[in-house]
């Protein structure tokens, strides 16, 4: 069993987008996937309720999952964060390119590095830029910040309407015709490669 924690103390950073699409990816491979929603808003849980029954199944709870994707709440406190980190094989931190998001994420990463499993490189951390337009000053500022953190930079995901469209219907990018989301799947490839690589290294 592998556990991927999606975390950032900043609300609206893109945690649910990462969690639901990652769950959809593993389900599309025929894996037993559990999507755990720790957020009071229950956005991932609501997405699961909208998911069409004919699609590869993703469970809110299952006794023997192969993959657990954990969507954590904004403002997660240190004791709950410690518990979640201890259970995680790897952590994905989504970051949007605004000064508010960068500031909040910087504080959150300081919390993460204080966790023993992270500081000793037993739990891997990867950063994902969210809703990034590469032709903007904000994107440049985000790149500089991500590089400064010293954590693994996985990819930038573009600000695309397709994410809202699939979420509305309980879908992921991996549930629609590939030709419709080719650019987005390409941006996701480094995330998927990294998750599989670090998870294999834990076995």
């Amino acid at each position: 069993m592998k556990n991927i924690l999606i975390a950032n103390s900043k609300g609206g950073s893109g945690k649910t987008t990462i969690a639901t699409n990652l769950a959809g990816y593993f389900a599309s491979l025929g894996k037993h996937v559990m999507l755990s929603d720790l957020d009071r808003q229950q956005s991932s849980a609501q997405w699961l309720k909208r998911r069409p029954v004919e699609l590869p199944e993703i469970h809110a709870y299952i006794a023997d999952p192969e993959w657990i994707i954990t969507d954590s709440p904004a403002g997660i406190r240190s004791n709950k964060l410690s518990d979640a980190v201890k259970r995680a094989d790897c952590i994905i931190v989504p970051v949007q390119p605004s000064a508010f998001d960068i500031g909040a994420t910087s504080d959150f990463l300081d919390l993460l590095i204080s966790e023993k499993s992270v500081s000793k490189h037993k739990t891997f951390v990867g950063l994902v830029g969210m809703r990034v337009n590469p032709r903007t000053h904000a994107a440049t500022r985000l790149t500089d910040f991500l590089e400064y953190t010293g954590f693994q930079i996985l990819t930038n995901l573009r600000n695309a309407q397709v994410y809202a469209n699939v979420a509305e219907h309980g879908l992921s990018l991996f549930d629609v015709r590939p030709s419709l989301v080719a650019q987005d799947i390409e941006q996701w490839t480094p995330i998927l490669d990294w998750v599989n690589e670090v998870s294999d290294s834990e076995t």
Side-chain angles (χ1 to χ4, degrees):
M1 177 181 71
K2 299 300 179 184
N3 190 322
I4 306 171
L5 175 64
I6 317 300
N8 191 330
S9 59
K10 177 70 170 65
S13 60
K15 294 183 290 291
T16 299
T17 296
I18 296 290
T20 53
N21 281 281
L22 202 53
Y25 165 72
F26 286 113
S28 74
L29 299 180
K31 305 297 184 182
H32 294 155
V33 181
M34 175 174 153
L35 180 57
S36 175
D37 193 345
L38 305 182
D39 195 344
R40 272 184 289 180
Q41 293 184 356
Q42 293 286 286
S43 297
S44 286
Q46 293 299 322
W47 175 83
L48 265 185
K49 291 179 180 178
R50 296 193 298 273
R51 188 165 176 80
V53 295
E54 65 270 15
L55 291 180
E57 189 171 8
I58 299 169
H59 306 266
Y61 175 79
I62 186 174
D64 57 346
E66 295 174 86
W67 291 89
I68 299 177
I69 314 299
T70 303
D71 187 1
S72 67
I76 187 170
R77 299 187 183 277
S78 57
N79 58 335
K80 291 187 176 180
L81 178 63
S82 293
D83 290 342
V85 168
K86 287 174 185 175
R87 292 193 295 268
D89 296 292
C90 61
I91 304 166
I92 296 177
V93 181
V95 193
Q96 290 200 54
S98 79
F100 296 111
D101 286 84
I102 289 172
T105 301
S106 179
D107 293 341
F108 178 70
L109 292 177
D110 287 342
L111 276 179
L112 270 188
I113 199 65
S114 69
E115 296 293 331
K116 186 179 294 186
S117 63
V118 173
S119 63
K120 292 183 177 296
H121 306 289
K122 293 181 179 179
T123 301
F124 300 94
V125 177
L127 309 180
V128 176
M130 300 294 292
R131 303 182 183 127
V132 177
N133 181 344
R135 296 184 296 275
T136 63
H137 291 299
T140 301
R141 184 170 59 240
L142 177 63
T143 297
D144 291 342
F145 166 70
L146 296 180
E147 291 177 349
Y148 175 77
T149 68
F151 286 107
Q152 178 76 44
I153 304 169
L154 302 183
T155 191
N156 287 331
L157 302 181
R158 68 188 183 125
N159 187 11
Q161 185 62 32
V162 65
Y163 286 104
N165 292 341
V166 295
E168 182 180 355
H169 300 286
L171 308 177
S172 75
L173 295 177
F174 306 94
D175 298 311
V176 300
R177 194 162 68 246
S179 61
L180 298 177
V181 291
Q183 181 178 351
D184 302 288
I185 295 296
E186 183 178 357
Q187 291 181 338
W188 266 82
T189 298
I191 301 176
L192 306 177
D193 290 345
W194 179 80
V195 165
N196 282 301
E197 179 183 348
V198 299
S199 297
D200 287 343
S201 72
E202 291 290 308
T203 58

